[in-house]
Amino acid sequence: MITGLNHVAIAVPDLEKAAAPYRALGAQVSAPQDLAEHGVTVVFVTLPNTKIELLAPFGEASPIAGFLEKNPAGGIHHLCLEVEDIAAAAGTVTSLGARLLGDGRPKTGAHGKPVIFVHPKDFQGALVEFEQG
Amino acid sequence: MITGLNHVAIAVPDLEKAAAPYRALGAQVSAPQDLAEHGVTVVFVTLPNTKIELLAPFGEASPIAGFLEKNPAGGIHHLCLEVEDIAAAAGTVTSLGARLLGDGRPKTGAHGKPVIFVHPKDFQGALVEFEQG
């Protein structure tokens, strides 16, 4: 069961520049936080009903480096759907023919909770992350 | 002031196929609705905190036809931020150097409310729609 949209992640080349309009529009904007083990620096934009996460590469092997090479101005990188039971959600989408990224087992995500990504080619061309709420 | 994320729009080549995993994951999924004047057929996926709108082209001159030519499997098309005052929001982002699409004046959007789009090159590479709540 999907319990909500946890966040939309936007990969950006310049976090300060990307955060400026959200701040100007009155949203709550965090300081940049380096998530070394995830290869990104994140600015959290907290809206009343969900979050936007602005991601910039951190370190040598950032998982968003390739995306920014293809989209130098940035772009919407993925959606994160919160689910009650990540194993059940993964089972549901694989039973519909979708592939999971990596070894198909949940990992600990940026919020310290189990996450798994679905192959974008199998999910409307959109990279979708499930996070157990 | 941003009052929330109204929806994330995903352009898809096949609405039924795109809707299937949301339905299987227990989300509320509408029947397809033709919005002739907007050139799209929409399926609304209502989550507890926001909506995902699955968009397929309707008619000859759909505004998402070009996007689907470039992204045949589909992809995340835009985010819609709900704002209290669309003229104020447009003024805020243009004062930061962002361009508005079209003639820069709000139009009536798919929900019957005033909307305006910001040029994606000026907003983190993401196509962002403002909708007056």
Side-chain angles (χ1 to χ4, degrees), chain A residues 1-6 8 10-13 17-22 24-27 45 47-52 54 73-79 81 83 88-90 92-93 96 120-128 130, chain B residues 1-6 8 10-13 17-22 24-27 45 47-52 54 73-79 81 83 88-90 92-93 96 120-128 130:
Chain A
M1 178 68 116
I2 301 174
T3 52
L5 179 72
N6 184 280
V8 179
I10 304 180
V12 302
K17 199 173 162 194
Y22 294 104
L25 289 164
V45 178
L47 304 180
N49 60 339
T50 188
K51 290 190 297 288
I52 293 175
L54 304 173
I76 303 171
H77 185 263
H78 69 266
L79 299 185
L81 298 173
V83 294
T92 298
V93 296
L96 292 170
K121 284 235 185 320
D122 301 337
F123 212 101
Q124 314 123 32
L127 180 58
V128 169
F130 291 127
Chain B
M1 178 68 114
I2 302 175
T3 52
L5 179 73
N6 184 280
V8 179
I10 304 180
V12 302
K17 199 173 161 193
Y22 294 104
L25 289 164
V45 179
L47 304 181
N49 61 339
T50 188
K51 288 190 297 287
I52 293 174
L54 305 172
I76 302 171
H77 185 263
H78 70 266
L79 298 184
L81 298 173
V83 295
T92 298
V93 297
L96 292 170
K121 285 235 185 319
D122 302 337
F123 212 100
Q124 315 123 31
L127 180 58
V128 170
F130 291 128

Side-chain angles (χ1 to χ4, degrees), chain A residues 15 32-35 39-43 54-58 64:
Chain A
L15 284 170
Q33 299 181 25
D34 295 334
L35 302 179
V40 291
T41 302
V42 186
V43 166
L54 304 173
L55 308 178
F58 179 89
I64 62 167

Side-chain angles (χ1 to χ4, degrees), chain B residues 64-92:
Chain B
I64 62 166
F67 182 90
L68 280 172
E69 262 168 47
K70 280 187 216 142
N71 305 276
I76 302 171
H77 185 263
H78 70 266
L79 298 184
C80 175
L81 298 173
E82 204 169 291
V83 295
E84 280 172 339
D85 179 335
I86 199 163
T92 298

Side-chain angles (χ1 to χ4, degrees), chain A residues 4-119:
Chain A
L5 179 72
N6 184 280
H7 63 268
V8 179
I10 304 180
V12 302
D14 180 335
L15 284 170
E16 259 318 293
K17 199 173 162 194
Y22 294 104
R23 202 177 276 122
L25 289 164
Q28 188 189 323
V29 176
S30 81
Q33 299 181 25
D34 295 334
L35 302 179
E37 70 276 34
H38 295 286
V40 291
T41 302
V42 186
V43 166
F44 295 93
V45 178
T46 305
L47 304 180
N49 60 339
T50 188
K51 290 190 297 288
I52 293 175
E53 297 188 2
L54 304 173
L55 308 178
F58 179 89
E60 294 298 306
S62 173
I64 62 167
F67 181 90
L68 281 170
E69 261 168 47
K70 278 186 217 144
N71 306 276
I76 303 171
H77 185 263
H78 69 266
L79 299 185
C80 175
L81 298 173
E82 206 169 289
V83 294
E84 282 171 336
D85 179 335
I86 199 164
T92 298
V93 296
T94 53
S95 75
L96 292 170
R99 290 161 290 174
L100 303 171
L101 295 189
D103 62 7
R105 281 183 299 188
K107 298 210 169 9
T108 300
H111 309 133
K113 295 179 176 177
V115 301
I116 201 159
F117 284 87
V118 185
H119 198 301

